[in-house]
């Protein structure tokens, strides 16, 4: 299931990149930065989800990467696309989850 999730995440990241390059034209540069941060983390962690079956604790690490990406990138995309900064409250939880996901590779 993690590889399938990675496929969906990777495909949606490429779609988001295309949208960001061709259609997303925010007036506020902070919204553009939020979108770029979301996309960068989305792409990077899609690759980590894809390789999670090869990790020592595949289900733990993969699940943490999925949850962290959804929380972090999802909240950043929501802020960028709506301009509603209240969505940014989820980003720190996503960031911490991603840190824990990376640490799950060490312990």
């Amino acid at each position: 299931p993690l590889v399938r999730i990675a496929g969906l995440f990777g495909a949606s990241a490429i779609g988001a990149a295309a949208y960001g390059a061709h259609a997303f034209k925010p007036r506020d540069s902070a919204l553009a930065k939020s979108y770029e941060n979301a996309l960068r983390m989305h792409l990077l962690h899609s690759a980590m989800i894809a390789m999670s079956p090869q990790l020592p604790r595949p289900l733990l690490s993969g699940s943490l990467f999925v949850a962290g990406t959804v929380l972090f990138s999802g909240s950043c995309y929501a802020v960028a696309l709506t301009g509603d900064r209240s969505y940014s409250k989820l980003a720190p939880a996503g960031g911490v989850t991603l840190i824990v996901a990376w640490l799950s590779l060490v312990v």
Side-chain angles (χ1 to χ4, degrees), residues 2 45 48-49 51-69 97-98 100-107:
L2 287 171
H45 293 100
M48 288 306 297
I49 297 163
M51 72 173 293
S52 64
Q54 309 305 314
L55 300 175
R57 292 172 191 83
L59 190 56
L60 174 64
S61 299
S63 298
L64 288 167
F65 281 120
V66 168
T69 302
T97 305
L98 289 170
V100 172
W102 282 100
L103 290 173
S104 75
L105 306 181
V106 178
V107 292

